[in-house]
Amino acid sequence: MNIFDRNAKRLQKERAAADPEVEVFDYLKEEVGFRLSERILDIKRKFGKVVDLGCGRGYVSRHVLSSSIEELVMCDLSPAQLEQATGPEEAVKCQRLVVDEENLPFEPNSIDMFVSNLSLHWVNDLPGTFAQINRCLKSDGCFLASMFGGDTLFELRCSLQMAELERQGGLAAHISPFAEVRDIGGLLQRAQFTMLTIDTDEIVINYPSMFEVMWDLKGMAENNAARNRKLTIPRDTLLAASAIYDTIYGNNNGKDGTRAVPASFQVYYLMGWKPDPSQPKPKARGSGEVSLKDIHKLDEIMKKHGEIEIGEGKEK
């Protein structure tokens, strides 16, 4: 079942890239891309061939260093955004490919790392994409990504729903559905990733009104691309939604203390590894020497036993 219109999303990205002031709308993806690139630097390994999947205008690649990555393949659904994307430093080999995240063209066991920044939440078959990424990774390869979470833009979603119920007696899907963190973990395990790490961040940005929120979403190419979306919203419904937004969520945190409305962006950061015999393995059930209920007596236990095995070494 296809939830999103991938061709509509491609056209939205192409229109956003054609805007002469496109860089004005980069602030959110650039911030998340920077935070994601820091996680690459946290891994004490130099990766050979790395794919930046859904690179956009190069929000991660611009921070890539030769000390961490030898070769970078920048991929995006939009040729225009791919052409505009800022590449890594000169010492890193770089190539650009127009790629649909739902159909990866890479050979099995050929990639050392996949990185994806705020792109996979528009994929219809997320389990299938995760499985393709795992198949293309080499053993002990890494998958690192950021995605918008389920609470993203809840203020805008609620305001539009309440306005439509009041003015039209029903509601439509104006904000695309986002995955929940518990679903992401299950899908990564289903795709055979191990040593999973998922953490959540929230970025709240204040705007003068609801209309600036919607304008910036369009500039980011993050406007609705669901197949069942309504193409138009009546003017009176929009005005009612803006008033509801300001009444329920408004604050005085705008420039110089002026009235503003917040827009929340929940971001998931995901990390998983393709299985490999060299990776740490959990010990057999029942092999522990210390019960968690006695953890408060750790100093006493260490004095009694002299040493306690922890991982590959010994704590004395």
Side-chain angles (χ1 to χ4, degrees):
M1 182 179 69
N2 290 332
I3 299 172
F4 304 113
D5 186 338
R6 296 288 292 171
N7 186 56
K9 179 49 57 182
R10 180 185 62 80
L11 292 173
Q12 289 170 359
K13 298 183 80 168
E14 292 284 293
R15 292 191 192 103
D19 190 330
E21 297 182 340
V22 60
E23 68 279 354
V24 172
F25 306 103
D26 284 345
Y27 56 90
L28 179 60
K29 292 186 176 181
E30 189 170 341
E31 176 63 26
V32 177
F34 174 72
R35 298 183 187 187
L36 191 64
S37 66
E38 286 187 319
R39 285 164 164 78
I40 300 175
L41 299 176
D42 288 339
I43 302 173
K44 304 305 179 185
R45 179 194 297 187
K46 186 169 184 177
F47 293 92
K49 190 172 185 178
V50 176
V51 173
D52 185 357
L53 190 61
C55 66
R57 287 174 28 84
Y59 307 109
V60 173
S61 59
R62 66 187 65 179
H63 303 294
V64 166
L65 303 176
S66 58
S67 58
S68 298
I69 293 173
E70 293 179 5
E71 180 182 356
L72 183 67
V73 182
M74 301 173 64
C75 305
D76 200 84
L77 182 65
S78 163
Q81 288 206 347
L82 186 63
E83 184 179 352
Q84 293 177 358
T86 305
E89 63 180 20
E90 291 185 6
V92 179
K93 298 177 184 177
C94 182
Q95 59 175 306
R96 301 169 191 245
L97 297 175
V98 176
V99 171
D100 186 339
E101 293 93 335
E102 296 183 350
N103 298 287
L104 302 185
F106 308 105
E107 294 293 324
N109 303 305
S110 62
I111 307 298
D112 294 289
M113 184 184 203
F114 273 90
V115 180
S116 180
N117 180 53
L118 297 181
S119 174
L120 296 179
H121 56 279
W122 292 115
V123 169
N124 283 303
D125 184 14
L126 194 56
T129 297
F130 284 167
Q132 288 185 69
I133 290 172
N134 187 281
R135 185 170 62 250
C136 296
L137 282 172
K138 297 179 181 177
S139 292
D140 203 30
C142 181
F143 171 46
L144 184 63
S146 62
M147 291 177 62
F148 283 129
D151 288 340
T152 297
L153 296 173
F154 73 89
E155 303 98 339
L156 180 59
R157 186 195 308 270
C158 292
S159 299
L160 286 170
Q161 288 176 348
M162 293 173 69
E164 280 197 320
L165 282 170
E166 177 194 352
R167 298 303 173 101
Q168 297 171 243
L171 52 87
H174 295 294
I175 308 297
S176 298
F178 300 107
E180 297 290 342
V181 67
R182 62 182 177 273
D183 301 325
I184 297 296
L187 292 176
L188 287 171
Q189 287 183 325
R190 177 179 165 186
Q192 306 301 313
F193 284 101
T194 62
M195 300 191 296
L196 303 181
T197 304
I198 305 176
D199 57 284
T200 305
D201 196 4
E202 185 177 62
I203 299 174
V204 180
I205 303 172
N206 286 301
Y207 295 87
S209 74
M210 184 192 78
F211 297 105
E212 281 77 11
V213 177
M214 298 174 72
W215 181 258
D216 278 21
L217 289 173
K218 183 178 179 180
M220 298 176 196
E222 290 297 330
N223 37 334
N224 193 6
R227 284 188 175 273
N228 64 343
R229 68 193 184 279
K230 288 179 65 175
L231 298 181
T232 59
I233 306 175
R235 182 176 179 181
D236 64 323
T237 302
L238 284 173
L239 292 173
S242 180
I244 292 170
Y245 202 141
D246 182 78
T247 301
I248 298 178
Y249 304 107
N251 56 50
N252 295 316
N253 297 332
K255 186 176 180 180
D256 300 325
T258 56
R259 193 72 177 165
V261 295
S264 300
F265 298 90
Q266 186 181 38
V267 183
Y268 299 149
Y269 296 96
L270 333 170
M271 180 183 287
W273 297 80
K274 187 168 182 176
D276 185 78
S278 65
Q279 293 170 350
K281 300 288 190 300
K283 290 201 168 185
R285 188 178 179 86
S287 62
E289 297 180 19
V290 180
S291 173
L292 286 175
K293 69 180 182 180
D294 298 325
I295 199 72
H296 64 286
K297 303 177 184 177
L298 188 58
D299 290 339
E300 189 178 318
I301 294 170
M302 290 178 68
K303 286 179 183 179
K304 181 178 178 180
H305 291 279
E307 60 183 28
I308 296 176
E309 187 175 345
I310 300 177
E312 296 179 357
K314 290 183 183 277
E315 183 72 22
K316 298 183 178 179

